[in-house]
mmCIF file of all heavy atoms in Angstrom:
data_model
loop_
_atom_site.group_PDB
_atom_site.id
_atom_site.type_symbol
_atom_site.label_atom_id
_atom_site.label_comp_id
_atom_site.label_asym_id
_atom_site.label_seq_id
_atom_site.Cartn_x
_atom_site.Cartn_y
_atom_site.Cartn_z
ATOM 1 N N GLY A 20 9.242 -34.585 42.869
ATOM 2 C CA GLY A 20 10.342 -35.196 42.267
ATOM 3 C C GLY A 20 9.905 -36.179 41.233
ATOM 4 O O GLY A 20 10.722 -36.734 40.556
ATOM 5 N N SER A 244 2.958 12.538 19.690
ATOM 6 C CA SER A 244 3.288 13.817 20.489
ATOM 7 C C SER A 244 3.063 15.019 19.783
ATOM 8 O O SER A 244 3.063 16.167 20.228
ATOM 9 C CB SER A 244 4.713 13.754 20.876
ATOM 10 O OG SER A 244 5.679 13.613 19.732
ATOM 11 N N LEU A 265 -19.150 -7.651 8.251
ATOM 12 C CA LEU A 265 -17.859 -7.112 8.846
ATOM 13 C C LEU A 265 -17.876 -5.569 8.656
ATOM 14 O O LEU A 265 -18.108 -5.042 7.487
ATOM 15 C CB LEU A 265 -16.665 -7.643 7.958
ATOM 16 C CG LEU A 265 -15.266 -7.235 8.518
ATOM 17 C CD1 LEU A 265 -15.084 -7.732 9.979
ATOM 18 C CD2 LEU A 265 -14.216 -7.794 7.620
ATOM 19 N N THR A 288 -0.616 19.153 7.471
ATOM 20 C CA THR A 288 -1.950 19.583 7.259
ATOM 21 C C THR A 288 -2.846 19.097 8.356
ATOM 22 O O THR A 288 -2.771 17.908 8.832
ATOM 23 C CB THR A 288 -2.481 18.945 6.048
ATOM 24 O OG1 THR A 288 -1.618 19.282 4.838
ATOM 25 C CG2 THR A 288 -3.824 19.283 5.590
ATOM 26 N N LEU A 289 -3.825 19.974 8.821
ATOM 27 C CA LEU A 289 -4.703 19.561 9.899
ATOM 28 C C LEU A 289 -5.860 18.947 9.224
ATOM 29 O O LEU A 289 -6.151 19.166 8.023
ATOM 30 C CB LEU A 289 -5.220 20.835 10.576
ATOM 31 C CG LEU A 289 -4.123 21.398 11.598
ATOM 32 C CD1 LEU A 289 -3.127 22.183 10.911
ATOM 33 C CD2 LEU A 289 -4.795 22.282 12.688
ATOM 34 N N HIS A 370 -17.258 10.827 -6.125
ATOM 35 C CA HIS A 370 -16.222 11.692 -5.336
ATOM 36 C C HIS A 370 -16.439 13.041 -5.604
ATOM 37 O O HIS A 370 -16.499 13.565 -6.779
ATOM 38 C CB HIS A 370 -14.788 11.305 -5.904
ATOM 39 C CG HIS A 370 -13.680 11.988 -5.114
ATOM 40 N ND1 HIS A 370 -12.818 11.241 -4.363
ATOM 41 C CD2 HIS A 370 -13.304 13.330 -5.012
ATOM 42 C CE1 HIS A 370 -11.921 12.086 -3.754
ATOM 43 N NE2 HIS A 370 -12.257 13.281 -4.249
ATOM 44 N N LYS A 400 -4.031 -29.338 -19.494
ATOM 45 C CA LYS A 400 -2.976 -28.536 -18.865
ATOM 46 C C LYS A 400 -3.203 -27.065 -18.839
ATOM 47 O O LYS A 400 -2.287 -26.275 -18.686
ATOM 48 C CB LYS A 400 -1.583 -29.001 -19.319
ATOM 49 C CG LYS A 400 -1.245 -30.387 -19.234
ATOM 50 C CD LYS A 400 0.070 -30.789 -19.619
ATOM 51 C CE LYS A 400 0.487 -32.193 -19.414
ATOM 52 N NZ LYS A 400 1.929 -32.533 -19.938
ATOM 53 N N ILE A 455 -0.294 -16.664 -21.526
ATOM 54 C CA ILE A 455 -0.558 -15.860 -22.761
ATOM 55 C C ILE A 455 -1.925 -15.122 -22.578
ATOM 56 O O ILE A 455 -2.841 -15.702 -22.126
ATOM 57 C CB ILE A 455 -0.445 -16.733 -23.964
ATOM 58 C CG1 ILE A 455 0.792 -17.485 -24.166
ATOM 59 C CG2 ILE A 455 -0.692 -15.875 -25.178
ATOM 60 C CD1 ILE A 455 0.772 -18.555 -25.285
ATOM 61 N N SER A 564 5.869 27.578 -21.494
ATOM 62 C CA SER A 564 5.865 28.150 -22.734
ATOM 63 C C SER A 564 5.063 29.376 -22.813
ATOM 64 O O SER A 564 5.533 30.412 -23.377
ATOM 65 C CB SER A 564 5.495 27.173 -23.890
ATOM 66 O OG SER A 564 6.293 26.096 -23.973
ATOM 67 N N GLU A 621 14.307 9.396 -7.425
ATOM 68 C CA GLU A 621 15.621 9.054 -6.953
ATOM 69 C C GLU A 621 16.131 7.990 -7.784
ATOM 70 O O GLU A 621 15.564 7.258 -8.464
ATOM 71 C CB GLU A 621 15.439 8.555 -5.388
ATOM 72 C CG GLU A 621 14.802 7.129 -5.362
ATOM 73 C CD GLU A 621 13.184 7.354 -5.454
ATOM 74 O OE1 GLU A 621 12.658 8.462 -5.679
ATOM 75 O OE2 GLU A 621 12.558 6.296 -5.369
ATOM 76 N N GLY A 644 12.745 1.522 8.341
ATOM 77 C CA GLY A 644 13.342 2.762 7.747
ATOM 78 C C GLY A 644 13.393 2.691 6.253
ATOM 79 O O GLY A 644 13.068 1.637 5.579
ATOM 80 N N GLY A 744 8.742 16.329 11.770
ATOM 81 C CA GLY A 744 10.034 15.934 12.246
ATOM 82 C C GLY A 744 9.874 14.703 13.314
ATOM 83 O O GLY A 744 8.700 14.009 13.227
#
Side-chain angles (χ1 to χ4, degrees):
S244 57
L265 186 60
T288 302
L289 287 79
H370 188 111
K400 297 182 178 181
I455 304 172
S564 297
E621 68 282 0

